[in-house]
Amino acid sequence: MRRIAGIFLAVLLIGGVVAAVVAGRQGEDKGTATKTVRAVIGSEKAEFFADPEVVDALAAKGYTVQPETSGSWAMEGLNLEEYDLALPSSQAPAVELAEKYKVSGTLPRPFYSPLVVVAHKNAAEVLKANGLATLDESHRGTLKMSAYLDAARADRTWQQLKGADKYGELTGTLYLSSTDPETSNSGALYLAAASYVENGGKVVASGTEIDRTAPLLHKLVSVQGAQQSSSDAVFRDFVSGAGNPLVVVYESQVASLLTEGQTPDDLVVLYPDTTVNSDHTVVPLTDDGKALAELLSTDPKLRKLEVRHGFRPQGEATEFAADTTYLKHELTGVRQAPVPTSKVLHELARRARG
């Protein structure tokens, strides 16, 4: 009997220990478990979502994000049935996705970034000497869009510009490098800004206006040859010293570089006097996607991290603590061109690519 009682007590003891361990694990899981959110995002936001502090801030709110990158316009061709949200880099492709997946209501736009032109210092000085740009700091200035488009229309070369003969790397046709406008948001927004200027300061809306502006847009794109689909790849090439001396990128990419402690002496940021804002717009496909969009828009910690990565949170311009050696804190003197409808922009991109 003693032996049976001993075995019975041992079983009870082991059972109690196991129950305690299981209960402890359940309690631990309850405190640390996160919901996984699958997101397809523009490549320029990849570093933001990979930032350990962003990962921790989201986990503290109960979310783990699994991001996959895509060109903003290319998202329309993806099957997003298994995703929780899409986060293209502007409103136009987001509206297309919302219609495709029957997402109703106002689409959240947690942060934005204007298009800028990054230039090597020699190129910026030559543009200034020829009335195509002004420089208010050694690393910051303004690109005169009308003057630049006139030069592009006339197929001007660097060799035709005063002072360019001092720099052997400045040869061939003068142009801005951009991404493929049919698949990438930054390339499409570049056409939006250029078409607005070419259309006399009016957003292109009709077939007649498309016909009027398309020839110049085709010239802006065709001179570039093969184009990349990722603004991240284009910017990295520029920073490494490869490629064209003038490149269209997002301001956020420059700001993020500066935050990393890099201050390239050969970098000049030119704000086009007519540009377009890239409104990073969320298309929530599930309730978890909607909750994440709300966090990106309102959570103070995440908003500070958005600024660190170069984005301008909606609603508070003062939050954007830019390094004014390279960047403008306030976008004064920069005209924001309206973006054509998605249908018109698609057609402009198609005609530009030829």
Side-chain angles (χ1 to χ4, degrees):
M1 289 296 292
R2 271 197 220 99
R3 185 177 180 184
I4 292 173
I7 293 173
F8 181 69
L9 288 172
V11 170
L12 286 177
L13 180 60
I14 292 170
V17 171
V18 170
V21 171
V22 170
R25 286 180 178 173
Q26 287 177 339
E28 181 182 341
D29 290 345
K30 186 176 181 180
T32 62
T34 59
K35 295 180 180 179
T36 298
V37 177
R38 292 191 65 195
V40 59
I41 64 172
S43 62
E44 68 290 330
K45 292 180 283 288
E47 288 187 2
F48 171 77
F49 282 103
D51 185 333
E53 290 194 50
V54 173
V55 173
D56 290 345
L58 290 170
K61 297 295 182 179
Y63 294 94
T64 296
V65 178
Q66 288 185 348
E68 298 176 28
T69 60
S70 167
S72 293
W73 288 99
M75 290 181 191
E76 189 179 340
L78 301 177
N79 181 357
L80 302 182
E81 296 291 347
E82 301 300 319
Y83 290 83
D84 295 287
L85 65 84
L87 184 47
S89 300
S90 71
Q91 194 171 17
V95 169
E96 290 286 303
L97 289 170
E99 291 178 358
K100 180 178 179 180
Y101 291 97
K102 297 179 174 54
V103 177
S104 59
T106 303
L107 299 177
R109 289 180 288 167
F111 45 81
Y112 68 98
S113 183
L115 282 187
V116 299
V117 174
V118 288
H120 293 308
K121 186 169 286 188
N122 291 342
E125 291 291 348
V126 171
L127 294 181
K128 175 186 175 183
N130 288 269
L132 299 172
T134 60
L135 297 178
D136 44 49
E137 294 282 350
S138 60
H139 294 286
R140 189 189 71 215
T142 301
L143 178 72
K144 298 181 178 180
M145 278 291 283
S146 289
Y148 164 69
L149 293 179
D150 287 342
R153 190 181 296 105
D155 298 315
R156 294 186 72 180
T157 65
W158 284 105
Q159 291 92 323
Q160 293 172 328
L161 299 182
K162 179 177 60 178
D165 56 339
K166 296 186 293 184
Y167 311 112
E169 73 274 17
L170 299 180
T171 61
T173 304
L174 169 70
Y175 68 90
L176 305 182
S177 286
S178 62
T179 53
D180 183 347
E182 291 192 292
T183 60
S184 172
N185 183 67
S186 59
L189 292 186
Y190 170 44
L191 296 187
S195 66
Y196 181 83
V197 176
E198 180 70 356
N199 197 40
K202 296 193 311 179
V203 64
V204 174
S206 67
T208 300
E209 291 171 332
I210 291 173
D211 291 341
R212 181 186 306 136
T213 57
L216 177 60
L217 301 186
H218 177 65
K219 184 166 286 193
L220 297 179
V221 170
S222 61
V223 70
Q224 300 183 47
Q227 293 175 291
Q228 299 195 62
S229 61
S230 163
S231 60
D232 185 58
V234 171
F235 184 60
R236 289 183 183 280
D237 284 349
F238 174 86
V239 172
S240 70
N244 196 48
L246 301 171
V247 181
V248 178
V249 300
Y250 297 115
E251 179 194 57
S252 60
Q253 293 171 287
V254 182
S256 182
L257 183 76
L258 299 175
T259 300
E260 294 171 3
Q262 299 187 51
T263 54
D265 187 58
D266 192 36
L267 171 65
V268 177
V269 181
L270 299 175
Y271 286 79
D273 55 16
T274 299
T275 191
V276 174
N277 277 344
S278 175
D279 289 314
H280 296 268
T281 306
V282 181
V283 184
L285 303 171
T286 66
D287 287 342
D288 286 340
K290 187 179 296 185
L292 182 62
E294 178 68 15
L295 285 174
L296 292 173
S297 299
T298 62
D299 183 73
K301 174 66 172 176
L302 288 171
R303 286 174 68 92
K304 287 180 181 179
L305 290 168
E306 288 159 10
V307 170
R308 180 189 297 179
H309 283 269
F311 300 111
R312 293 176 180 257
Q314 294 284 3
E316 290 291 337
T318 56
E319 289 186 68
F320 186 70
D323 178 344
T324 54
T325 302
Y326 292 84
L327 304 177
K328 288 179 177 284
H329 187 272
E330 301 287 344
L331 295 176
T332 53
V334 178
R335 186 175 189 180
Q336 302 296 323
V339 179
T341 65
S342 178
K343 182 179 179 180
V344 169
L345 199 51
H346 269 301
E347 181 60 16
L348 289 175
R350 187 188 70 79
R351 298 275 287 272
R353 291 283 292 167

